Amino acid sequence: MDFLGSIVFLCLFSMTFAQQSMDIDHLDPDLLPRPLIIEFSESRLKNMSDDIAMHCTSWRVAVEANNLGPWKTIPDECADYVKDYMLGRSYNVDLEKVSHESGIYAKSLELGADGMDAWVFDIDETLISNLPYYSDHGYGLELFNNVQFDKWILEGVAPAIKPSLKLYEEVLSLGFKIILLTGRNENKRNITVSNLKHAGYQKWDKLVLRGEHEREKSASAFKSDKRKEIMEEGFRILGNSGDQWSDLTGTSTASRSFKLSNPMYHIP
Amino acid sequence: MDFLGSIVFLCLFSMTFAQQSMDIDHLDPDLLPRPLIIEFSESRLKNMSDDIAMHCTSWRVAVEANNLGPWKTIPDECADYVKDYMLGRSYNVDLEKVSHESGIYAKSLELGADGMDAWVFDIDETLISNLPYYSDHGYGLELFNNVQFDKWILEGVAPAIKPSLKLYEEVLSLGFKIILLTGRNENKRNITVSNLKHAGYQKWDKLVLRGEHEREKSASAFKSDKRKEIMEEGFRILGNSGDQWSDLTGTSTASRSFKLSNPMYHIP
C-alpha cells in the first residue's frame, strides 16, 4: 500500500507535469476545457500548433522578402508567434545577423578621399526600438493609432537597437557620412535628437525628417525623393539600413540595402 | 485496490506518453543511449538543437531578404535544416504563399488593350524544380559542379513547381504575355522547351536564354539587359517571379517582383 501510494503520488506528479508541458507547448487555449476522452489527440494539437508556427514563419519570411501586399495588422492567429519572436532570442539573432552582414560589406568598400560616401539609416525599428509601445498594443495586432504612438514618441525613451548601434559605430569609424532619414515629422526633431543621443547615437551629418508639405507622400516616395536630393548634393549612398522595404526601394536606391526584421507593422 | 490499480495503470500509461513525447521532440538520437544521471540536461540538448534551428532560420531569412553577400554553399551546420526544409512542408507552404500573393497582385491589375502587359518568370527553382539533383548533392552543401548539373538538365525531367504552375495558368488566363527569362545557355533551348512542356507549361510568348556572347555577364546584369530589351519592344513588365534576387533586382525592374524561396544556392 505504501509502495502503491508512492507510485500513485509519482504518477499524479508525472501527469501534472505532462499536462503542464502540453499546456505550454501545444495547446490552443481556445480549445480548453476539453474532456479527457480527447487526451490522445495531443499530437493533433501539437500538429495544429506546428501548422500555425509554419504558417506564421511563412508569413514572416514573406514580409522580409517583400512578397506581401500592404497589410495593416499582423494575422490574428500569429499574435503569440510574433510576441514570442520579438521577446525571444530570434529577433535579436536576426538583427545581429543583418548588422554583421552590413559590417562585412561596409568594411569591403574603399571610400573616396572627398568624404562623400554615405550610409543612410532609418530611425524607428532600425536605430531605436518602439517595442515597449508595441508590447502594449499586441505587437502589431492592433490597428495603428497615431495619437497614442505620438505620445510614446514624445516620451523620447525608445532604447537603442544594440546590433544597429554597433553597426553605426562601425561605419562611423570607417569614415562614412551618416545620414538619418525618417518618416517622423519635422515637429519631432528635438525629441528625436534627444532620444537618439540618450540611446547612444552621438553624431550624424544629416537628420532628414518629413516636412509639413510632405505628409501626403508614401514613405517610399518620400525617402526616394530625399535620397535623390542627397545624391544631388554629391553624396554616394553606399549603404542603407531600414526595417521597412519602403526605406530601401523606389528610386535613387543605395548601392546596397539591408532589411532589418520587423514583423509588427508595414509602412508602404 | 481496484481503484488504485486503475490509477497506477493510467499513471504509468501517462508517464510512457510523457517520455515518448520528450523523446520525439527534444532528443538528439546521436546522443543515445545516455546514463540516467544526465536526464536533466535534456533542456541543454534541446537548446543546442534550438540554437542551430534558430541560427539556420536566421540565415534562411537573411537569404530571402537579400541581406547576405555572395555565398557558394550552405553553412555546414545547416545541412539537416535545409534538407528538412526542402523535404518537409515548409518549402511548399512558402511557395504557395508567394504564388497566392502574386495571384492577388496579378488580379488587381487592369491590363491595357494592346496586349503588351507581361509577366516574367525565371525557370530553374521557379517554374521547375531541380530538387532531385540537389538531393544527390547535399541540398546545396556541395560546391556547384557545372558538368554534373548540365547532365541533369539534359535529362529534361525536372518536375513542375506546382504553386508556380498554378500562378502561370492564372496570369495566362488573365491575359498577360508570358516571358521566360533564364540563365540557361542558348544550347539548352530544345531540352528546356521539352522539359517545360512535360512539366505542364504549354505556351509562352518569349523564351530568352543566355547567348554565347553573354556568358561572362552576371545573372543580374544579363537579366537587367534582357528586361531592358523587352521593355524597348513595348512590353510593360508588371510582374516578375524568381528564386534568386539576381532574377529581380538591377535595372529595368518589374513593377512588382516576387521572390520564391531557395536556401540551396545563390547566383549573383
Side-chain angles (χ1 to χ4, degrees):
Chain A
M1 187 59 186
D2 257 9
F3 171 71
L4 271 180
S6 307
I7 293 279
V8 167
F9 171 77
L10 273 171
C11 293
L12 286 173
F13 188 81
S14 154
M15 282 174 94
T16 307
F17 274 80
Q19 182 60 33
Q20 220 175 43
S21 148
M22 277 163 59
D23 284 351
I24 293 164
D25 295 344
H26 312 139
L27 294 187
D28 183 345
D30 293 346
L31 294 171
L32 295 170
R34 339 162 262 127
L36 273 175
I37 197 75
I38 65 155
E39 190 77 16
F40 300 112
S41 63
E42 187 201 340
S43 67
R44 190 183 58 85
L45 296 177
K46 180 171 185 334
N47 285 340
M48 274 175 55
S49 156
D50 279 356
D51 276 355
I52 288 177
M54 189 185 295
H55 158 69
C56 296
T57 302
S58 186
W59 172 81
R60 184 167 70 81
V61 174
V63 169
E64 296 308 321
N66 201 19
N67 281 334
L68 293 193
W71 51 277
K72 288 190 185 300
T73 57
I74 65 171
D76 282 355
E77 66 278 17
C78 297
D80 286 343
Y81 174 90
V82 172
K83 180 181 176 182
D84 285 357
Y85 172 77
M86 296 304 296
L87 300 185
R89 286 190 302 139
S90 299
Y91 178 51
N92 203 53
V93 165
D94 287 349
L95 294 178
E96 278 172 358
K97 180 108 203 139
V98 67
S99 167
H100 180 71
E101 293 293 328
S102 308
I104 290 173
Y105 166 70
K107 284 196 285 273
S108 78
L109 300 170
E110 201 165 319
L111 304 197
D114 58 0
M116 294 303 276
D117 294 300
W119 196 287
V120 171
F121 287 97
D122 168 56
I123 293 180
D124 292 294
E125 266 58 69
T126 299
L127 293 187
I128 54 179
S129 170
N130 299 304
L131 195 50
Y133 174 82
Y134 283 99
S135 76
D136 289 338
H137 297 274
Y139 302 92
L141 199 61
E142 292 177 20
L143 263 180
F144 182 71
N145 183 312
N146 207 43
V147 178
Q148 284 181 18
F149 188 67
D150 273 9
K151 259 192 212 166
W152 155 256
I153 290 287
L154 291 172
E155 290 181 33
V157 294
I161 289 181
K162 290 281 162 54
S164 295
L165 183 56
K166 185 166 170 282
L167 174 66
Y168 159 89
E169 282 163 355
E170 213 161 0
V171 297
L172 198 60
S173 75
L174 286 167
F176 283 87
K177 291 289 185 288
I178 307 275
I179 297 174
L180 311 185
L181 176 50
T182 174
R184 288 185 177 200
N185 288 328
E186 189 63 61
N187 63 13
K188 308 254 169 25
R189 178 176 288 271
N190 290 345
I191 193 68
T192 299
V193 168
S194 142
N195 194 152
L196 284 168
K197 298 220 163 190
H198 189 255
Y201 300 93
Q202 295 306 321
K203 55 178 283 193
W204 48 82
D205 297 275
K206 264 179 196 296
L207 166 58
V208 183
L209 299 100
R210 196 190 278 261
E212 237 358 276
H213 60 292
E214 291 163 324
R215 290 202 172 201
E216 298 306 307
K217 281 187 189 176
S218 72
S220 175
F222 165 68
K223 297 206 164 181
S224 293
D225 289 351
K226 290 298 164 184
R227 283 194 304 266
K228 184 162 181 274
E229 288 175 28
I230 291 162
M231 287 177 176
E232 282 167 355
E233 289 175 43
F235 289 103
R236 296 175 292 275
I237 305 180
L238 302 185
N240 188 2
S241 302
D243 66 292
Q244 299 290 319
W245 278 101
S246 56
D247 295 329
L248 310 171
T249 55
T251 52
S252 306
T253 52
S255 304
R256 229 182 116 186
S257 297
F258 294 90
K259 169 71 175 73
L260 281 72
S261 289
N262 184 357
M264 297 191 299
Y265 60 85
H266 172 257
I267 300 175
Chain B
M1 186 59 186
D2 258 9
F3 171 71
L4 274 179
S6 308
I7 293 279
V8 167
F9 171 77
L10 272 172
C11 294
L12 287 172
F13 190 80
S14 153
M15 283 173 93
T16 307
F17 272 81
Q19 182 60 37
Q20 219 174 44
S21 150
M22 277 162 58
D23 285 351
I24 294 165
D25 294 345
H26 311 139
L27 295 187
D28 182 344
D30 293 345
L31 294 172
L32 295 170
R34 1 167 239 123
L36 274 175
I37 197 75
I38 65 154
E39 190 78 17
F40 297 113
S41 62
E42 186 203 338
S43 68
R44 191 183 57 85
L45 298 177
K46 181 174 182 330
N47 285 341
M48 272 174 57
S49 156
D50 279 357
D51 275 356
I52 289 178
M54 189 185 295
H55 158 70
C56 296
T57 302
S58 186
W59 172 80
R60 184 167 69 81
V61 175
V63 169
E64 296 308 320
N66 202 20
N67 281 333
L68 294 193
W71 52 276
K72 289 191 184 302
T73 58
I74 64 172
D76 282 355
E77 67 277 18
C78 298
D80 287 343
Y81 174 89
V82 172
K83 180 181 175 183
D84 285 356
Y85 172 76
M86 295 304 295
L87 300 184
R89 286 190 301 139
S90 299
Y91 178 49
N92 203 53
V93 165
D94 287 349
L95 294 178
E96 278 172 357
K97 179 108 203 138
V98 67
S99 167
H100 180 72
E101 292 293 328
S102 309
I104 290 174
Y105 166 70
K107 285 196 284 275
S108 78
L109 301 169
E110 201 164 319
L111 303 197
D114 58 1
M116 294 303 275
D117 295 300
W119 197 288
V120 171
F121 287 97
D122 168 57
I123 293 180
D124 292 295
E125 266 58 68
T126 299
L127 293 186
I128 55 178
S129 171
N130 298 304
L131 195 52
Y133 173 83
Y134 283 98
S135 75
D136 289 339
H137 297 274
Y139 302 92
L141 199 61
E142 293 178 19
L143 264 180
F144 183 71
N145 183 311
N146 208 43
V147 178
Q148 284 180 21
F149 188 66
D150 273 9
K151 259 192 213 165
W152 154 256
I153 290 287
L154 292 171
E155 290 180 33
V157 294
I161 288 180
K162 291 279 159 57
S164 296
L165 183 55
K166 186 168 168 283
L167 174 66
Y168 158 89
E169 281 163 355
E170 212 161 359
V171 297
L172 198 60
S173 75
L174 286 167
F176 284 87
K177 291 289 184 288
I178 307 274
I179 298 174
L180 311 185
L181 175 51
T182 174
R184 288 184 176 200
N185 288 327
E186 189 63 60
N187 63 12
K188 307 252 169 25
R189 179 176 288 272
N190 291 346
I191 193 67
T192 300
V193 168
S194 141
N195 195 152
L196 284 168
K197 299 220 162 192
H198 189 255
Y201 300 92
Q202 296 306 322
K203 54 177 283 192
W204 49 81
D205 297 275
K206 264 180 194 295
L207 167 58
V208 184
L209 299 101
R210 196 190 278 262
E212 238 356 279
H213 60 292
E214 291 162 324
R215 291 203 173 201
E216 298 307 309
K217 281 186 190 177
S218 71
S220 174
F222 164 67
K223 297 207 165 183
S224 292
D225 289 351
K226 290 298 163 184
R227 282 195 304 267
K228 183 163 182 277
E229 288 175 28
I230 291 162
M231 287 177 177
E232 282 167 355
E233 289 175 44
F235 289 103
R236 295 176 292 275
I237 305 181
L238 303 185
N240 189 3
S241 302
D243 67 291
Q244 299 289 320
W245 278 100
S246 56
D247 295 329
L248 310 171
T249 55
T251 52
S252 306
T253 53
S255 304
R256 229 181 116 186
S257 297
F258 294 91
K259 170 70 176 71
L260 281 73
S261 289
N262 184 358
M264 296 191 299
Y265 60 84
H266 173 256
I267 300 175

